[in-house]
C-alpha cells in the first residue's frame, strides 16, 4: 500500500494520506506508519470514515487497545471512548466538562500508562478546537547539563486526582476513586523503542518529587513545566473531519481547546493502546 507523507510542524508531526483504514494495512505499510510515528511523535492519517469497530481494529495494528471507563464508551465498541462538546460532569455539578483542557500525558497515574492515544475527528468545528502537542525529547535535550545531572534518576508520584491538578475532572463513584491507582515514575524516561530520553511530566497528575520537600518539589516541577510548554516545542493540530491523530504519550504532552463557537459540535472517538512501566 502506498501513502504520501507531509511534514506538519518544524520539529514534530507528519500527515499521511492515500490510506483507507477500512482495509487493514499490510505488514510493510504498518511498519512504515509506525516509523513515521516514531520519527515525528505525532502522526495524522487523513480522510478516514470509520465506524467504531473498524477504528478499534485499525488502531490495534499499533498496539493492544485498553478499556477506560472514565470516559463514555461507544455502544458498538467498549474500547472506543467518546470525547465530545456535549460532555458533562453527570455525577457532579452537571456542568460542561472539557476533557484534557490543560497540558498532560495520558494515564500517568497508572503503573503502566498507555503508550499511544488515537483520536479520530468524527465531527470537527468550523474554527478552533485544535489539539496542541509539545515535544518532550526536545525539551529534555535543551536542559543544561547541570539540570540533566540533577533530575536524571529522580522519581515523581502521580495521582489521578493530584493536589496540583489544573483541570476539572469528572466526578467518579466513591468506590472507583478509592480503587484509583497511583504510581511513581521517573522524571526523565527512556523511550523503549527509540532509546531516546525525554522529560516525563504531567501537570495534571504529578503530586511530588520523591525525596524533595513540597516547596522544593513544586518549584522544580513548575520550572520544568514552564520550560517544556514554551511555544518553540509546540505543534498545534488544526483538525479536518476524518483525521485520525496518533500521538506517543512517552515523548509528548497534549492539550485540548474548547474555543470553538457556541452551538458548534466537536465529536472525537478515542482509542488508547497499552504501554509498559516507564524507565
Ligand atoms: C485529550 O486530552 O485526550 C483530548 C484532546 C482533544 O480533545 O483535543
Amino acid at each position: 500500500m502506498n501513502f504520501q507523507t507531509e511534514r506538519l510542524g518544524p520539529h514534530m508531526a507528519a500527515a499521511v494520506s492515500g490510506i483507507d483504514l477500512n482495509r487493514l494495512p499490510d505488514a510493510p505499510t504498518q511498519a512504515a506508519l509506525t516509523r513515521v510515528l516514531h520519527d515525528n511523535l505525532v502522526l495524522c492519517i487523513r480522510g478516514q470514515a470509520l465506524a467504531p469497530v473498524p477504528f478499534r481494529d485499525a488502531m490495534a495494528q499499533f498496539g493492544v487497545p485498553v478499556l477506560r471507563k472514565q470516559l463514555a464508551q461507544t455502544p458498538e465498541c467498549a474500547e472506543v471512548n467518546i470525547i465530545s462538546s456535549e460532555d458533562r460532569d453527570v455525577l457532579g455539578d452537571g456542568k460542561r466538562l472539557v476533557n484534557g483542557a490543560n497540558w498532560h500525558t495520558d494515564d500517568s497515574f497508572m503503573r503502566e500508562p498507555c503508550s499511544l492515544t488515537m483520536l479520530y475527528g468524527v465531527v470537527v468545528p468550523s474554527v478552533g478546537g485544535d489539539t496542541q502537542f509539545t515535544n518532550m525529547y526536545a525539551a529534555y535535550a535543551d536542559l543544561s547539563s547541570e539540570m540533566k545531572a540533577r533530575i536524571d534518576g529522580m522519581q515523581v508520584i502521580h495521582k489521578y486526582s493530584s493536589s496540583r491538578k489544573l483541570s476539572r475532572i469528572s466526578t467518579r463513584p466513591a468506590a472507583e476513586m478509592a480503587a484509583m491507582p497511583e504510581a511513581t515514575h521517573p522524571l526523565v524516561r527512556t523511550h523503549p523503542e527509540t532509546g531516546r530520553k525525554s522529560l516525563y511530566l504531567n501537570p495534571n497528575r504529578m503530586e511530588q518529587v520523591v525525596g524533595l520537600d513540597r516547596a522544593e518539589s513544586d518549584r522544580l516541577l513548575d520550572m520544568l513545566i514552564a520550560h517544556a510548554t514554551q511555544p518553540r516545542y509546540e505543534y498545534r493540530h488544526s483538525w479536518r473531519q476524518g483525521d485520525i491523530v496518533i500521538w506517543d504519550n512517552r515523548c509528548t504532552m497534549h492539550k485540548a481547546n474548547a474555543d470553538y463557537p457556541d452551538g458548534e459540535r466537536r465529536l472525537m472517538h478515542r482509542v488508547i493502546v497499552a504501554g509498559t512501566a516507564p524507565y
Side-chain angles (χ1 to χ4, degrees):
M1 209 185 276
N2 284 327
F3 59 79
Q4 298 74 51
T5 308
E6 175 201 354
R7 194 72 201 251
L8 293 175
H11 53 75
M12 71 191 299
V16 302
S17 50
I19 287 186
D20 175 1
L21 291 176
N22 282 298
R23 254 187 60 221
L24 294 181
D26 56 24
T29 307
Q30 183 59 41
L33 288 172
T34 301
R35 230 176 3 258
V36 177
L37 173 63
H38 284 159
D39 290 347
N40 295 279
L41 293 64
V42 175
L43 164 65
C44 172
I45 305 176
R46 300 275 194 209
Q48 301 304 303
L50 290 170
V53 171
F55 174 44
R56 188 268 323 269
D57 292 348
M59 298 305 100
Q61 308 308 302
F62 290 88
V64 178
V66 289
L67 278 180
R68 285 290 177 270
K69 294 182 176 166
Q70 290 91 22
L71 296 175
Q73 295 157 293
T74 61
E76 300 91 336
C77 183
E79 290 108 330
V80 177
N81 290 119
I82 300 168
I83 295 179
S84 149
S85 45
E86 277 125 53
D87 287 336
R88 300 284 178 275
D89 184 17
V90 280
L91 297 180
D93 59 14
K95 289 194 181 144
R96 176 153 189 227
L97 200 69
V98 180
N99 280 298
N102 287 287
W103 287 110
H104 64 287
T105 177
D106 287 333
D107 254 10
S108 73
F109 57 96
M110 313 280 290
R111 261 183 4 95
E112 297 187 340
C114 63
S115 52
L116 308 176
T117 301
M118 295 83 172
L119 210 59
Y120 167 36
V122 182
V123 179
V124 303
S126 59
V127 287
D130 296 351
T131 307
Q132 291 165 262
F133 297 93
T134 188
N135 182 335
M136 301 298 270
Y137 289 140
Y140 174 73
D142 284 353
L143 292 173
S144 67
S145 39
E146 292 75 23
M147 181 55 72
K148 284 181 182 157
R150 180 175 176 216
I151 66 172
D152 270 342
M154 279 187 170
Q155 299 279 324
V156 182
I157 299 163
H158 293 240
K159 288 185 171 173
Y160 180 72
S161 186
S162 141
S163 59
R164 287 175 48 90
K165 70 175 178 296
L166 302 164
S167 290
R168 217 160 60 84
I169 55 179
S170 67
T171 307
R172 306 301 306 159
E176 190 184 309
M177 284 305 287
M180 203 62 96
E182 60 177 63
T184 301
H185 295 309
L187 186 47
V188 178
R189 69 180 291 181
T190 305
H191 195 290
E193 280 154 87
T194 67
R196 297 179 67 191
K197 281 185 168 187
S198 63
L199 270 176
Y200 190 54
L201 302 175
N202 188 344
N204 243 9
R205 308 279 190 216
M206 291 186 300
E207 186 66 23
Q208 192 162 347
V209 180
V210 175
L212 298 188
D213 67 33
R214 180 64 193 240
E216 199 185 346
S217 167
D218 282 348
R219 260 196 310 278
L220 177 61
L221 294 178
D222 289 344
M223 184 279 288
L224 292 172
I225 292 165
H227 167 71
T229 56
Q230 294 174 81
R232 65 190 164 121
Y233 299 124
E234 191 180 316
Y235 164 69
R236 188 175 182 116
H237 189 74
S238 180
W239 286 87
R240 298 183 197 166
Q241 187 131 347
D243 281 352
I244 292 178
V245 175
I246 303 176
W247 62 84
D248 193 327
N249 287 295
R250 299 165 291 190
C251 50
T252 60
M253 291 198 291
H254 62 281
K255 159 184 202 297
N257 287 278
D259 55 353
Y260 42 92
D262 273 352
E264 285 212 29
R265 232 177 134 220
R266 183 178 189 269
L267 172 65
M268 301 280 163
H269 284 174
R270 188 192 85 158
V271 170
I272 57 175
V273 301
T276 52
Y279 57 86

